[in-house]
Short mmCIF file of all heavy atoms in Angstrom, two decimals:
data_model
loop_
_atom_site.label_atom_id
_atom_site.label_comp_id
_atom_site.label_asym_id
_atom_site.label_seq_id
_atom_site.Cartn_x
_atom_site.Cartn_y
_atom_site.Cartn_z
N GLY A 1 78.22 111.88 107.39
CA GLY A 1 78.30 111.15 108.64
C GLY A 1 78.36 109.65 108.46
O GLY A 1 77.88 109.10 107.47
N ARG A 2 78.93 109.01 109.44
CA ARG A 2 79.04 107.54 109.43
C ARG A 2 77.71 106.86 109.71
O ARG A 2 77.57 105.66 109.49
CB ARG A 2 80.10 107.09 110.42
CG ARG A 2 81.50 107.50 110.00
CD ARG A 2 82.53 107.05 111.02
NE ARG A 2 83.84 107.54 110.64
CZ ARG A 2 84.71 106.86 109.91
NH1 ARG A 2 84.39 105.66 109.48
NH2 ARG A 2 85.88 107.37 109.61
N ASP A 3 76.74 107.60 110.20
CA ASP A 3 75.42 107.04 110.49
C ASP A 3 74.42 107.33 109.37
O ASP A 3 73.25 106.96 109.48
CB ASP A 3 74.87 107.60 111.80
CG ASP A 3 75.70 107.17 113.00
OD1 ASP A 3 76.23 106.05 112.97
OD2 ASP A 3 75.82 107.96 113.95
N TYR A 4 74.87 107.98 108.30
CA TYR A 4 73.97 108.38 107.23
C TYR A 4 73.53 107.16 106.43
O TYR A 4 74.32 106.26 106.14
CB TYR A 4 74.65 109.39 106.30
CG TYR A 4 73.71 109.92 105.25
CD1 TYR A 4 72.76 110.87 105.57
CD2 TYR A 4 73.74 109.42 103.96
CE1 TYR A 4 71.87 111.35 104.61
CE2 TYR A 4 72.87 109.89 103.00
CZ TYR A 4 71.93 110.84 103.34
OH TYR A 4 71.05 111.29 102.40
N SER A 5 72.29 107.15 106.03
CA SER A 5 71.74 106.11 105.19
C SER A 5 70.97 106.78 104.05
O SER A 5 70.11 107.61 104.30
CB SER A 5 70.79 105.23 106.01
OG SER A 5 70.21 104.26 105.20
N MET A 6 71.31 106.44 102.82
CA MET A 6 70.66 107.06 101.66
C MET A 6 69.23 106.58 101.52
O MET A 6 68.91 105.42 101.80
CB MET A 6 71.42 106.76 100.38
CG MET A 6 72.71 107.51 100.24
SD MET A 6 73.49 107.05 98.68
CE MET A 6 73.56 108.63 97.90
N LYS A 7 68.42 107.48 101.03
CA LYS A 7 67.03 107.19 100.69
C LYS A 7 66.93 107.11 99.16
O LYS A 7 67.80 107.60 98.46
CB LYS A 7 66.12 108.31 101.21
CG LYS A 7 66.30 108.65 102.68
CD LYS A 7 65.87 107.52 103.57
CE LYS A 7 65.90 107.88 105.04
NZ LYS A 7 67.10 107.58 105.73
N PRO A 8 65.86 106.52 98.64
CA PRO A 8 65.73 106.41 97.17
C PRO A 8 65.84 107.77 96.46
O PRO A 8 66.43 107.86 95.38
CB PRO A 8 64.35 105.80 96.99
CG PRO A 8 64.14 104.99 98.23
CD PRO A 8 64.80 105.80 99.33
N TYR A 9 65.32 108.83 97.06
CA TYR A 9 65.41 110.14 96.40
C TYR A 9 66.84 110.65 96.35
O TYR A 9 67.17 111.45 95.48
CB TYR A 9 64.46 111.17 97.03
CG TYR A 9 64.67 111.41 98.51
CD1 TYR A 9 65.67 112.25 98.97
CD2 TYR A 9 63.83 110.81 99.43
CE1 TYR A 9 65.85 112.47 100.33
CE2 TYR A 9 64.00 111.03 100.79
CZ TYR A 9 65.01 111.86 101.24
OH TYR A 9 65.19 112.08 102.58
N ASP A 10 67.70 110.19 97.26
CA ASP A 10 69.12 110.59 97.18
C ASP A 10 69.75 110.04 95.91
O ASP A 10 70.53 110.71 95.25
CB ASP A 10 69.90 110.08 98.40
CG ASP A 10 69.49 110.75 99.69
OD1 ASP A 10 69.20 111.97 99.67
OD2 ASP A 10 69.45 110.07 100.73
N TRP A 11 69.42 108.80 95.57
CA TRP A 11 69.94 108.20 94.34
C TRP A 11 69.45 108.98 93.13
O TRP A 11 70.21 109.23 92.19
CB TRP A 11 69.53 106.73 94.24
CG TRP A 11 70.30 105.82 95.13
CD1 TRP A 11 70.51 105.97 96.47
CD2 TRP A 11 70.95 104.62 94.77
NE1 TRP A 11 71.26 104.93 96.96
CE2 TRP A 11 71.54 104.08 95.93
CE3 TRP A 11 71.10 103.94 93.57
CZ2 TRP A 11 72.26 102.89 95.93
CZ3 TRP A 11 71.81 102.75 93.57
CH2 TRP A 11 72.39 102.23 94.73
N LEU A 12 68.19 109.38 93.15
CA LEU A 12 67.63 110.15 92.04
C LEU A 12 68.34 111.49 91.89
O LEU A 12 68.63 111.94 90.78
CB LEU A 12 66.13 110.37 92.22
CG LEU A 12 65.26 109.11 92.16
CD1 LEU A 12 63.82 109.44 92.54
CD2 LEU A 12 65.35 108.46 90.80
N ARG A 13 68.62 112.14 93.01
CA ARG A 13 69.34 113.42 92.96
C ARG A 13 70.74 113.23 92.41
O ARG A 13 71.22 114.04 91.62
CB ARG A 13 69.40 114.04 94.35
CG ARG A 13 68.07 114.57 94.81
CD ARG A 13 68.17 115.16 96.19
NE ARG A 13 66.88 115.68 96.60
CZ ARG A 13 66.49 115.79 97.84
NH1 ARG A 13 67.29 115.42 98.83
NH2 ARG A 13 65.31 116.27 98.13
N LEU A 14 71.42 112.19 92.86
CA LEU A 14 72.77 111.92 92.34
C LEU A 14 72.72 111.60 90.84
O LEU A 14 73.57 112.04 90.08
CB LEU A 14 73.44 110.79 93.12
CG LEU A 14 73.90 111.15 94.51
CD1 LEU A 14 74.29 109.90 95.30
CD2 LEU A 14 75.07 112.13 94.45
N ASP A 15 71.71 110.84 90.42
CA ASP A 15 71.55 110.55 88.99
C ASP A 15 71.40 111.83 88.19
O ASP A 15 71.94 111.96 87.09
CB ASP A 15 70.33 109.66 88.75
CG ASP A 15 70.53 108.22 89.21
OD1 ASP A 15 71.68 107.79 89.39
OD2 ASP A 15 69.50 107.54 89.38
N ALA A 16 70.68 112.80 88.73
CA ALA A 16 70.40 114.05 88.02
C ALA A 16 71.64 114.92 87.86
O ALA A 16 71.70 115.76 86.94
CB ALA A 16 69.32 114.85 88.75
N VAL A 17 72.65 114.71 88.69
CA VAL A 17 73.87 115.53 88.65
C VAL A 17 74.69 115.24 87.40
O VAL A 17 75.38 116.11 86.88
CB VAL A 17 74.72 115.28 89.92
CG1 VAL A 17 76.10 115.88 89.80
CG2 VAL A 17 74.00 115.83 91.14
N GLY A 18 74.63 114.02 86.92
CA GLY A 18 75.43 113.66 85.75
C GLY A 18 76.88 113.43 86.11
O GLY A 18 77.79 113.85 85.40
N ALA A 19 77.11 112.75 87.21
CA ALA A 19 78.47 112.53 87.70
C ALA A 19 79.28 111.63 86.78
O ALA A 19 78.75 110.68 86.20
CB ALA A 19 78.43 111.92 89.10
N THR A 20 80.55 111.94 86.65
CA THR A 20 81.48 111.09 85.91
C THR A 20 82.44 110.38 86.85
O THR A 20 83.09 109.42 86.45
CB THR A 20 82.30 111.92 84.91
OG1 THR A 20 83.00 112.95 85.62
CG2 THR A 20 81.39 112.54 83.86
N ALA A 21 82.53 110.85 88.10
CA ALA A 21 83.41 110.24 89.08
C ALA A 21 82.90 110.52 90.48
O ALA A 21 82.24 111.53 90.72
CB ALA A 21 84.84 110.77 88.93
N LEU A 22 83.24 109.62 91.40
CA LEU A 22 82.95 109.78 92.81
C LEU A 22 84.25 109.69 93.58
O LEU A 22 85.00 108.73 93.41
CB LEU A 22 81.99 108.69 93.31
CG LEU A 22 81.81 108.63 94.82
CD1 LEU A 22 80.95 109.80 95.30
CD2 LEU A 22 81.22 107.30 95.27
N TYR A 23 84.52 110.66 94.40
CA TYR A 23 85.65 110.62 95.33
C TYR A 23 85.05 110.35 96.71
O TYR A 23 84.16 111.08 97.15
CB TYR A 23 86.41 111.94 95.35
CG TYR A 23 87.19 112.25 94.10
CD1 TYR A 23 87.08 111.50 92.95
CD2 TYR A 23 88.05 113.33 94.08
CE1 TYR A 23 87.80 111.81 91.80
CE2 TYR A 23 88.79 113.65 92.94
CZ TYR A 23 88.65 112.88 91.81
OH TYR A 23 89.37 113.20 90.69
N GLU A 24 85.54 109.30 97.38
CA GLU A 24 84.96 108.92 98.66
C GLU A 24 86.04 108.42 99.60
O GLU A 24 87.11 108.03 99.18
CB GLU A 24 83.85 107.87 98.46
CG GLU A 24 84.26 106.63 97.70
CD GLU A 24 84.87 105.57 98.58
OE1 GLU A 24 84.59 105.54 99.79
OE2 GLU A 24 85.65 104.76 98.07
N GLY A 25 85.73 108.45 100.89
CA GLY A 25 86.73 108.17 101.91
C GLY A 25 86.75 106.78 102.48
O GLY A 25 87.42 106.52 103.48
N GLU A 26 86.02 105.85 101.88
CA GLU A 26 85.98 104.46 102.34
C GLU A 26 85.55 104.33 103.80
O GLU A 26 86.06 103.51 104.54
CB GLU A 26 87.33 103.77 102.12
CG GLU A 26 87.69 103.65 100.66
CD GLU A 26 88.82 102.69 100.40
OE1 GLU A 26 89.77 102.62 101.20
OE2 GLU A 26 88.74 101.99 99.38
N ALA A 27 84.60 105.16 104.21
CA ALA A 27 84.07 105.10 105.57
C ALA A 27 82.64 104.59 105.52
O ALA A 27 81.98 104.60 104.48
CB ALA A 27 84.10 106.49 106.21
N ASP A 28 82.15 104.14 106.66
CA ASP A 28 80.75 103.74 106.76
C ASP A 28 79.86 104.95 106.54
O ASP A 28 80.32 106.09 106.58
CB ASP A 28 80.47 103.16 108.15
CG ASP A 28 81.15 101.83 108.38
OD1 ASP A 28 81.47 101.14 107.40
OD2 ASP A 28 81.37 101.48 109.56
N GLY A 29 78.59 104.73 106.33
CA GLY A 29 77.64 105.82 106.21
C GLY A 29 77.59 106.40 104.82
O GLY A 29 77.42 105.68 103.83
N ALA A 30 77.73 107.72 104.73
CA ALA A 30 77.58 108.44 103.46
C ALA A 30 78.52 107.92 102.38
O ALA A 30 78.12 107.77 101.23
CB ALA A 30 77.79 109.93 103.69
N ASP A 31 79.77 107.67 102.74
CA ASP A 31 80.74 107.20 101.76
C ASP A 31 80.33 105.85 101.18
O ASP A 31 80.34 105.64 99.96
CB ASP A 31 82.13 107.07 102.38
CG ASP A 31 82.71 108.38 102.84
OD1 ASP A 31 81.97 109.16 103.47
OD2 ASP A 31 83.89 108.63 102.58
N LEU A 32 79.98 104.92 102.04
CA LEU A 32 79.59 103.58 101.61
C LEU A 32 78.31 103.62 100.77
O LEU A 32 78.21 102.93 99.75
CB LEU A 32 79.40 102.67 102.82
CG LEU A 32 79.17 101.20 102.56
CD1 LEU A 32 80.32 100.59 101.76
CD2 LEU A 32 78.99 100.45 103.87
N CYS A 33 77.36 104.46 101.16
CA CYS A 33 76.13 104.61 100.38
C CYS A 33 76.43 105.16 98.98
O CYS A 33 75.92 104.65 97.98
CB CYS A 33 75.16 105.56 101.10
SG CYS A 33 74.45 104.90 102.61
N ALA A 34 77.24 106.19 98.92
CA ALA A 34 77.59 106.79 97.63
C ALA A 34 78.38 105.80 96.77
O ALA A 34 78.21 105.76 95.55
CB ALA A 34 78.39 108.07 97.85
N LEU A 35 79.22 105.01 97.41
CA LEU A 35 79.98 104.00 96.68
C LEU A 35 79.04 102.99 96.02
O LEU A 35 79.22 102.64 94.85
CB LEU A 35 80.94 103.28 97.63
CG LEU A 35 81.76 102.14 97.06
CD1 LEU A 35 82.68 102.63 95.94
CD2 LEU A 35 82.57 101.48 98.17
N GLY A 36 78.03 102.55 96.74
CA GLY A 36 77.05 101.62 96.17
C GLY A 36 76.34 102.23 94.98
O GLY A 36 76.14 101.57 93.95
N TRP A 37 75.96 103.50 95.11
CA TRP A 37 75.31 104.20 94.00
C TRP A 37 76.23 104.25 92.79
O TRP A 37 75.83 103.92 91.68
CB TRP A 37 74.91 105.61 94.44
CG TRP A 37 74.57 106.49 93.29
CD1 TRP A 37 73.40 106.52 92.60
CD2 TRP A 37 75.42 107.45 92.68
NE1 TRP A 37 73.47 107.45 91.58
CE2 TRP A 37 74.72 108.03 91.61
CE3 TRP A 37 76.72 107.89 92.92
CZ2 TRP A 37 75.27 109.02 90.80
CZ3 TRP A 37 77.27 108.86 92.12
CH2 TRP A 37 76.54 109.41 91.07
N ALA A 38 77.48 104.67 92.99
CA ALA A 38 78.42 104.83 91.88
C ALA A 38 78.70 103.50 91.18
O ALA A 38 78.70 103.42 89.95
CB ALA A 38 79.72 105.45 92.38
N ARG A 39 78.91 102.46 91.96
CA ARG A 39 79.18 101.15 91.36
C ARG A 39 77.98 100.65 90.56
O ARG A 39 78.15 100.05 89.50
CB ARG A 39 79.56 100.14 92.45
CG ARG A 39 80.96 100.34 92.96
CD ARG A 39 81.35 99.24 93.89
NE ARG A 39 82.74 99.38 94.31
CZ ARG A 39 83.24 98.80 95.37
NH1 ARG A 39 82.47 98.04 96.13
NH2 ARG A 39 84.51 98.97 95.69
N SER A 40 76.78 100.90 91.06
CA SER A 40 75.59 100.44 90.34
C SER A 40 75.39 101.18 89.03
O SER A 40 74.69 100.71 88.14
CB SER A 40 74.35 100.58 91.22
OG SER A 40 73.94 101.92 91.31
N ARG A 41 76.02 102.35 88.91
CA ARG A 41 75.88 103.17 87.70
C ARG A 41 77.12 103.11 86.80
O ARG A 41 77.17 103.76 85.78
CB ARG A 41 75.65 104.65 88.08
CG ARG A 41 74.45 104.93 88.98
CD ARG A 41 73.17 104.39 88.38
NE ARG A 41 71.98 104.94 88.99
CZ ARG A 41 71.19 104.28 89.82
NH1 ARG A 41 71.51 103.06 90.22
NH2 ARG A 41 70.10 104.84 90.30
N GLY A 42 78.13 102.35 87.21
CA GLY A 42 79.35 102.25 86.42
C GLY A 42 80.19 103.52 86.44
O GLY A 42 80.93 103.80 85.49
N ILE A 43 80.07 104.28 87.51
CA ILE A 43 80.80 105.55 87.64
C ILE A 43 82.16 105.29 88.27
O ILE A 43 82.28 104.51 89.23
CB ILE A 43 79.97 106.54 88.47
CG1 ILE A 43 78.70 106.92 87.68
CG2 ILE A 43 80.76 107.78 88.84
CD1 ILE A 43 77.69 107.71 88.45
N LEU A 44 83.17 105.94 87.75
CA LEU A 44 84.53 105.83 88.28
C LEU A 44 84.55 106.21 89.75
O LEU A 44 83.97 107.22 90.14
CB LEU A 44 85.46 106.77 87.50
CG LEU A 44 86.88 106.91 88.03
CD1 LEU A 44 87.69 105.67 87.71
CD2 LEU A 44 87.54 108.14 87.47
N VAL A 45 85.23 105.40 90.57
CA VAL A 45 85.35 105.67 92.00
C VAL A 45 86.82 105.86 92.34
O VAL A 45 87.66 105.05 91.95
CB VAL A 45 84.77 104.51 92.85
CG1 VAL A 45 85.02 104.74 94.32
CG2 VAL A 45 83.29 104.33 92.56
N ARG A 46 87.10 106.94 93.04
CA ARG A 46 88.46 107.21 93.50
C ARG A 46 88.44 107.26 95.03
O ARG A 46 87.87 108.17 95.61
CB ARG A 46 88.98 108.52 92.93
CG ARG A 46 90.42 108.76 93.30
CD ARG A 46 91.03 109.85 92.47
NE ARG A 46 92.35 110.14 92.97
CZ ARG A 46 92.98 111.28 92.81
NH1 ARG A 46 92.42 112.25 92.12
NH2 ARG A 46 94.17 111.46 93.31
#
């Protein structure tokens, strides 16, 4: 959702996944939050 806001535990869960890439839709909310997480971790963003 566009109104979604990540909590610190969301970042921990994403860290635990071992992601190598993030595909996101450039929208507010969940996409923007995930983008911030990926950039802070040096993860490829598409």
Side-chain angles (χ1 to χ4, degrees):
R2 292 179 184 268
D3 295 327
Y4 185 77
S5 178
M6 286 180 120
K7 308 293 186 268
Y9 57 81
D10 292 323
W11 284 51
L12 294 173
R13 288 179 179 153
L14 286 169
D15 288 342
V17 169
T20 57
L22 170 73
Y23 290 9
E24 55 86 25
E26 296 195 322
D28 291 337
D31 295 45
L32 188 58
C33 290
L35 177 62
W37 165 80
R39 285 187 176 161
S40 75
R41 303 304 196 254
I43 293 171
L44 173 75
V45 175
R46 184 166 174 204

